[in-house]
Structures are given as C-alpha cells and as structure tokens.
Amino acid sequence: MNHTIETILEHRSIRKFTHQTIDDALLTTILNCAIAASTSSFIQCVSIIRVCQQDRRETLAQLAGGQAYVASAAEFFVFCADFNRHKQIHPEAQLGFTEQTLIGAIDAALMAQNALLAAESLGLGGVYIGGIRNNPQAVSDLLEMPSHVIPLFGLCLGYPDQHPEKKPRLPQSLVIHQEAYQPELDKQILNDYDNQTRHYYRNRSNGNKDMSWSEQITTALNKEARPFMKDFIHNKGFSTR
C-alpha cells in the first residue's frame, strides 16, 4: 500500500480546525491539483470562489444551516457550475441543456475531490458543505454570481483540531455489481452494516444517537429535499431543456 492509497482510505470529515493558516504556496498547489482533474470534452465549466472576508464567511455559515466551521476554517471555497465564461467567449452558445448541468456537477465534484485529497496528503483536513444549497439564491447574490453560474457545494480546508472516528462505508458486496445490476439486496449483509453504523453513531454521540443506516436513509428519503432547487437552476439558465 502506498501513501496515496493510505490517504484515500484514511479520509474523515474535519469540522474543527486550528488557527494555523495555509501557506500561499501550499494553497496554490492544492488548487492546481483541483484544476488538473478530468473534465468532460475539455469544456472546463467549473469556477471556484475563494471566500476570505470574515463577514461573508459568517453569512455563508448561517445560510448553510448554522455550520460554524464555514467561518472558522482556514479556507473556504464554493464550487460552481459555470457556463457564463463560455457565453462570454461564444455569445451564441446553446446553453440550458440538462446534460450540461450534469457535466458541471460532475466536473466540480472531480475538482473538489482532487483538492481535498491533495490537502489531506499534506496534513490538512476538510469537509464538504452541501448546505450551500439550503439558500442558493442568497448565496448566489452574496457572491455576485451572474446567469449561467450556480453554487453546488462548499469546501472547508484547514489544519485538523480533531481526529474523529472514520464513518463506515457500504461494503463492496452491496456496491459492486458483476456484469449487470443485481436487483436483490443481501439483507444479511445490510443488517451487518446497519449494526456497524449504529455502533458508530453511538460512539460518536456518546449514546445520544441510536440509528442504523437503513433508518437514516428512510428518514432522509421520506420527504423532498430542497424543492426550490429546480426553479433556482432554471432561473439561472440550467436544465431549461
């Protein structure tokens, strides 16, 4: 096993950071790693907004659901799907296709994962902030995003001030399908994983959270999440056709 694999397998979300800043040269390297990620058809339809002003950080922390580490992390970035740049290059560009929305989301995720892995390999930690989509219009207004740019998620980076237990992932037997999709879920393997997840939550919460993975997704998928997103992305020029 090499250092790259060890870094990947040791991933855990960090939500508490020291006050140490990230050296400019180090940050440049991390961002270069992000930009080096694969991009569909070389379209390169992602922009990253680095937010340094403390008042903006604090506003974003509240808009993201009161996640204080958005304000306290050494660095905070917002990853955006961006076709405004392309519109400026080619004003007659045909935009609004759902496939373009998917490309923007996929490319942004690849860039962010490159950035986080690079950061973790250098002794830093981070956490993704999907809560940016709790109030997408307010985030868009705050960060002055024009049409054809939408915020997808945030990323906190900094030096860890905690070492949380790793959250267990689904085993390969439930994720990897051989040759074709296997429709029957192995209930025994799922039950074992549910027990593992329940044990993790009990340890993490000092016994205050007692929930299996199946119970968690039942709760999460029992209601519509962020129903305003469809209208928001339409108004921004995404997935209109």
Side-chain angles (χ1 to χ4, degrees):
M1 189 178 297
N2 59 35
H3 179 63
T4 300
I5 293 174
E6 289 174 351
T7 299
I8 293 170
L9 293 178
E10 282 301 306
H11 166 72
R12 61 203 72 202
S13 293
I14 300 299
R15 295 177 173 85
K16 186 179 180 183
F17 303 92
T18 71
H19 296 298
Q20 184 177 353
T21 60
I22 301 174
D23 179 80
D24 286 345
L26 209 62
L27 187 59
T28 297
T29 297
I30 292 167
L31 293 175
N32 280 337
C33 288
I35 293 170
S38 297
T39 170
S40 179
S41 299
F42 204 44
I43 292 177
Q44 302 187 90
C45 55
V46 178
S47 283
I48 304 171
I49 300 177
R50 181 191 182 198
V51 184
C52 297
Q53 292 181 6
Q54 191 60 32
D55 58 342
R56 288 194 177 193
R57 288 273 212 102
E58 290 172 0
T59 299
L60 288 170
Q62 292 306 310
L63 291 174
Q67 300 187 68
Y69 27 93
V70 171
S72 62
E75 296 286 343
F76 184 68
F77 303 95
V78 177
F79 285 75
C80 309
D82 178 5
F83 284 92
N84 178 271
R85 180 165 52 237
H86 306 74
K87 190 74 171 176
Q88 293 185 53
I89 295 168
H90 177 41
E92 285 73 42
Q94 295 298 303
L95 301 179
F97 296 105
T98 299
E99 172 66 7
Q100 293 167 344
T101 305
L102 292 173
I103 289 171
I106 293 167
D107 278 15
L110 294 173
M111 287 179 67
Q113 188 69 355
N114 262 24
L116 183 55
L117 283 174
E120 290 175 335
S121 76
L122 295 166
L124 285 84
V127 61
Y128 293 115
I129 308 296
I132 283 297
R133 299 190 304 281
N134 287 355
N135 295 282
Q137 187 61 60
V139 171
S140 180
D141 293 343
L142 179 69
L143 302 182
E144 303 175 26
M145 297 181 193
S147 295
H148 305 295
V149 179
I150 54 173
L152 296 172
F153 54 86
L155 174 62
C156 297
L157 288 181
Y159 287 93
D161 194 24
Q162 61 177 179
H163 190 71
E165 182 182 351
K166 285 196 298 182
K167 185 179 287 186
R169 296 299 197 261
L170 284 168
Q172 286 194 22
S173 53
L174 292 181
V175 176
I176 310 302
H177 300 250
Q178 185 69 33
E179 305 298 343
Y181 190 89
Q182 308 300 309
E184 294 300 322
L185 195 62
D186 189 315
K187 297 298 179 62
Q188 183 56 56
I189 294 176
L190 178 61
N191 183 66
D192 292 343
Y193 178 67
D194 277 338
N195 289 334
Q196 185 183 8
T197 307
R198 189 184 300 278
H199 177 74
Y200 163 81
Y201 278 129
R202 284 173 177 166
N203 283 348
R204 174 178 165 178
S205 67
N206 293 320
N208 293 320
K209 184 173 182 178
D210 188 356
M211 179 179 284
S212 71
W213 184 71
S214 293
E215 290 168 343
Q216 178 175 320
I217 64 167
T218 297
T219 300
L221 301 181
N222 211 30
K223 59 182 179 181
E224 184 178 6
R226 302 184 178 114
F228 43 79
M229 283 302 300
K230 182 178 179 180
D231 286 342
F232 170 72
I233 65 174
H234 283 180
N235 291 335
K236 280 289 195 174
F238 285 79
S239 296
T240 58
R241 49 183 168 169

